[in-house]
Amino acid sequence: MHDELELLRTANPVPSGDGPWRDRPLDADAERALNRLLYGDRVRRTGVLLIVRAEATVLALVGALALTLSACR
């Protein structure tokens, strides 16, 4: 992963200026956009997935507890 990131840092994926294929280091805006692309959605997706899994776990525990308590009566 680090090799690909270093490769992207050494070449601007969206060049502006002297032609469509000009290679140069990323500027600050491009670096920020790259970091947002690589890590922004993953963090949000992971947080939502964690919440959904926690809710499913709580519902499964409540269901198991309800079955256990109803079998005791």
Side-chain angles (χ1 to χ4, degrees):
M1 173 78 176
H2 293 291
D3 293 333
E4 294 91 3
L5 188 57
E6 191 60 37
L7 179 67
L8 285 173
R9 283 188 174 131
T10 58
N12 189 352
V14 185
S16 60
D18 295 2
W21 297 286
R22 181 171 179 240
D23 289 338
R24 63 181 182 174
L26 293 175
D27 60 358
D29 292 332
E31 185 93 22
R32 214 172 15 258
L34 178 63
N35 285 333
R36 195 176 324 125
L37 177 68
L38 289 174
Y39 305 113
D41 289 336
R42 185 178 304 164
V43 171
R44 268 185 262 141
R45 236 181 294 141
T46 304
V48 169
L49 198 60
L50 182 65
I51 291 171
V52 169
R53 286 181 179 172
E55 289 176 351
T57 303
V58 168
L59 287 175
L61 288 173
V62 167
L65 185 63
L67 284 174
T68 303
L69 292 177
S70 65
C72 292
R73 289 185 175 196

